[in-house]
């Protein structure tokens, strides 16, 4: 049962619904009165140990605290996962970064509103990204008031074995219902810094870690399925309106700055200069079996055949890569030489850019 259904059972109309806050006593009573106590647990937990103290095999767990205020967030979500039955529901809320920005800027008097906002970014968003500063920051704040983008919040949920089945923005906060679909990934070394390593399929189907400058919010890599279901592919095979990409990330992509660290993979012998892009497992699964086999026979490349003929749809991308790989099998050197100059011409004359 999802949030909307809880409220509808109490004959609460939409106007009253948008006024309800999960942390309010009124809503807590609505939820508690609507649920079977043996199947659901309403909690105000901020620590994973308190969640582990709950009984097991629950159908629903509702946490009245914001994800922003939980110190060890992934451990907390892993604990919730461990207490739920398969297909069990976790209901919670968080303040998304754009809502936080509006909250900080609007009430203040100009120009101090932007000064306050800049200080908030520096202290609460930049500081926790550095190892030593991170320890000091969380030691002082205990994790309360952390900045969370929608991509990071949902990405953490997906990495911990959940999928989002309902979401609402109410009074500046995002309310969600997530369903347990698998065990957590238990990512011991999540990446927060500007240089990231992405798991991609390389030669012989082996997973390689491709180096790039960060263009997406942390934990975005776990949202491939979510984005694929919610968004359409636009021209060039990218996802339309991809909220995972940060503002600075769009600039990096436009001028290929994000791909410069891939030369590390080139010098390690994992990639070559010309070749098909290294893909994530989710994107790789969209391809035909025949193309998957051909792709794994050779190393992926820094400069893909995409820039030679500029395909627009996924089907055209598949045809483009198949054409390149078949030509490469017959004449590797001459094919890469030809595609290098075709790509160079598209970039120089047609203004081809990554998005």
């Amino acid at each position: 049962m999802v949030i909307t259904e809880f409220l509808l059972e109490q004959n609460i109309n939409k106007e009253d619904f948008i006024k309800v806050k999960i942390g309010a006593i009124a809503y807590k009573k609505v939820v508690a009165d609507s649920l079977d106590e043996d199947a659901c647990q309403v909690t105000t937990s901020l620590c994973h140990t308190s969640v582990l103290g709950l009984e097991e095999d629950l159908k629903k767990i509702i946490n009245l605290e914001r994800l922003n205020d939980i110190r060890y967030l992934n451990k907390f979500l892993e604990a919730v996962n461990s207490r739920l039955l398969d297909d069990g529901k976790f209901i919670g809320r968080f303040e998304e970064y754009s809502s936080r920005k509006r909250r900080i800027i609007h009430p203040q008097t100009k120009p101090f509103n932007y000064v306050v906002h800049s200080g908030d970014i520096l202290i609460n968003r930049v500081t926790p990204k550095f190892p030593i500063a991170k320890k000091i920051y969380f030691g002082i704040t205990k994790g309360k008031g952390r900045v969370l983008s929608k991509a990071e919040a949902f990405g953490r949920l997906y990495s911990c074995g959940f999928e989002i089945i309902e979401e609402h923005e109410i009074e500046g906060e995002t309310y969600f219902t997530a369903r347990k679909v698998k065990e957590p990934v238990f990512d011991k070394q999540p990446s927060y810094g500007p240089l990231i390593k992405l798991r991609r399929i390389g030669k012989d189907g082996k997973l390689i870690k491709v180096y790039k400058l960060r263009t997406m919010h942390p934990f975005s890599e776990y949202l491939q399925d979510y984005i694929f279901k919610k968004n359409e592919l636009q021209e060039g095979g990218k996802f339309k309106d991809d909220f995972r990409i940060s503002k600075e990330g769009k600039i990096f992509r436009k001028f290929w700055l994000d791909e410069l660290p891939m030369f590390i993979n080139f010098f390690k012998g994992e990639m070559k200069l010309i070749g098909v892009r290294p893909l994530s497992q989710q994107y790789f699964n969209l391809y035909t079996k025949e193309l998957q086999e051909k792709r794994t026979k050779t190393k992926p490349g820094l400069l893909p055949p995409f820039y030679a003929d500029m395909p627009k749809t996924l089907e055209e991308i598949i045809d483009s890569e198949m054409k390149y790989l078949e030509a490469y099998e017959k004449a590797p050197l001459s094919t890469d030489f030809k595609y290098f100059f075709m790509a160079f011409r598209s970039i120089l004359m047609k203004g081809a850019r990554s998005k």
Side-chain angles (χ1 to χ4, degrees):
M1 188 180 297
V2 292
I3 296 172
T4 307
E5 292 171 340
F6 295 154
L7 298 173
L8 291 177
E9 280 189 1
Q10 302 299 311
N11 297 316
I12 295 179
N13 59 35
K14 290 184 178 180
E15 288 74 17
D16 291 332
F17 171 67
I18 63 173
K19 297 177 183 178
V20 174
K21 302 283 284 183
I22 278 190
I25 296 175
Y27 181 68
K28 183 176 180 180
K29 184 177 186 304
V30 168
V31 174
D33 290 346
S34 300
L35 301 174
D36 179 355
E37 294 182 357
D38 294 332
C40 176
Q41 180 71 52
V42 181
T43 181
T44 55
S45 301
L46 288 172
C47 180
H48 64 281
T49 54
S50 62
V51 175
L52 292 174
L54 301 177
E55 61 180 287
E56 297 183 3
D57 298 335
L58 291 167
K59 293 181 180 179
K60 303 179 187 71
I61 294 178
I62 302 171
N63 191 33
L64 306 183
E65 300 290 350
R66 303 185 312 167
L67 298 185
N68 308 76
D69 299 323
I70 299 173
R71 169 66 177 94
Y72 298 103
L73 184 50
N74 272 35
K75 287 184 178 180
F76 180 89
L77 297 175
E78 290 163 4
V80 172
N81 183 295
S82 72
R83 289 299 177 262
L84 285 171
L85 292 166
D86 291 340
D87 291 324
K89 308 296 191 305
F90 172 52
I91 299 169
R93 64 178 176 130
F94 65 93
E95 182 185 42
E96 198 264 331
Y97 170 68
S98 60
S99 298
R100 181 190 184 103
K101 180 179 178 180
R102 290 194 298 268
R103 174 173 59 82
I104 291 174
I105 287 180
H106 290 303
Q108 306 296 329
T109 304
K110 293 183 178 180
F112 299 107
N113 51 356
Y114 291 98
V115 174
V116 173
H117 173 58
S118 298
D120 181 62
I121 291 177
L122 178 63
I123 296 172
N124 295 304
R125 197 176 187 189
V126 177
T127 301
K129 300 295 187 289
F130 298 93
I132 297 177
K134 178 181 178 181
K135 292 181 179 180
I136 298 174
Y137 173 83
F138 282 109
I140 296 173
T141 66
K142 307 302 180 184
K144 290 190 176 182
R146 75 161 76 211
V147 177
L148 279 177
S149 65
K150 179 180 177 180
E152 180 176 352
F154 281 3
R156 285 176 180 271
L157 282 160
Y158 271 76
S159 75
C160 292
F162 295 96
E163 70 171 0
I164 303 298
I165 60 175
E166 186 178 14
E167 56 186 280
H168 299 281
E169 185 174 342
I170 307 171
E171 295 185 351
E173 292 187 345
T174 300
Y175 294 71
F176 62 86
T177 301
R179 176 170 57 212
K180 176 181 174 178
V181 293
K182 60 182 180 180
E183 295 300 311
V185 174
F186 297 110
D187 192 345
K188 300 298 183 183
Q189 294 180 319
S191 174
Y192 290 99
L195 182 65
I196 60 175
K197 294 182 285 185
L198 302 174
R199 297 180 184 88
R200 295 292 183 259
I201 296 176
K203 186 178 180 182
D204 300 323
K206 295 180 179 179
L207 284 178
I208 61 174
K209 292 183 178 180
V210 175
Y211 293 85
K212 295 188 73 175
L213 288 180
R214 178 180 295 284
T215 61
M216 292 186 175
H217 296 287
F219 288 90
S220 291
E221 61 269 28
Y222 294 102
L223 291 178
Q224 286 276 14
D225 288 333
Y226 173 87
I227 294 294
F228 184 73
K229 291 175 182 177
K230 294 279 186 178
N231 297 27
E232 298 177 356
L233 286 176
Q234 62 183 2
E235 290 187 1
K238 299 290 186 179
F239 289 112
K240 183 179 180 181
D241 301 324
D242 194 341
F243 66 86
R244 299 175 300 169
I245 304 174
S246 63
K247 290 182 179 179
E248 58 271 19
K250 292 179 181 178
I251 298 174
F252 288 168
R253 290 188 174 201
K254 183 176 181 179
F255 297 102
W256 292 297
L257 297 177
D258 61 310
E259 297 186 354
L260 290 178
M262 291 169 65
F263 277 100
I264 298 174
N265 298 102
F266 175 79
F267 291 119
K268 290 175 65 176
E270 297 171 331
M271 297 178 66
K272 58 194 185 78
L273 183 61
I274 306 296
V276 294
R277 285 187 183 278
L279 298 179
S280 65
Q281 185 66 59
Q282 193 275 340
Y283 212 119
F284 184 78
N285 290 339
L286 299 178
Y287 284 39
T288 62
K289 292 295 182 182
E290 182 183 7
L291 183 53
Q292 288 178 5
E293 292 177 0
K294 285 186 177 294
R295 274 181 138 268
T296 55
K297 287 181 180 179
T298 183
K299 296 176 183 178
L302 299 177
L303 196 61
F306 169 87
Y307 288 112
D309 43 22
M310 299 299 293
K312 296 181 178 180
T313 66
L314 178 60
E315 290 73 20
E316 290 178 358
I317 292 173
I318 289 174
D319 291 340
S320 171
E321 292 190 356
M322 181 66 77
K323 180 181 176 182
Y324 163 77
L325 291 170
E326 287 178 345
Y328 183 83
E329 286 179 349
K330 298 175 182 178
L333 291 178
S334 60
T335 296
D336 279 358
F337 187 79
K338 172 186 175 182
Y339 270 82
F340 174 81
F341 283 101
M342 289 172 65
F344 183 77
R345 183 179 60 185
S346 292
I347 294 169
L348 188 63
M349 304 299 293
K350 300 180 181 180
R353 290 289 186 275
S354 180
K355 296 182 179 180

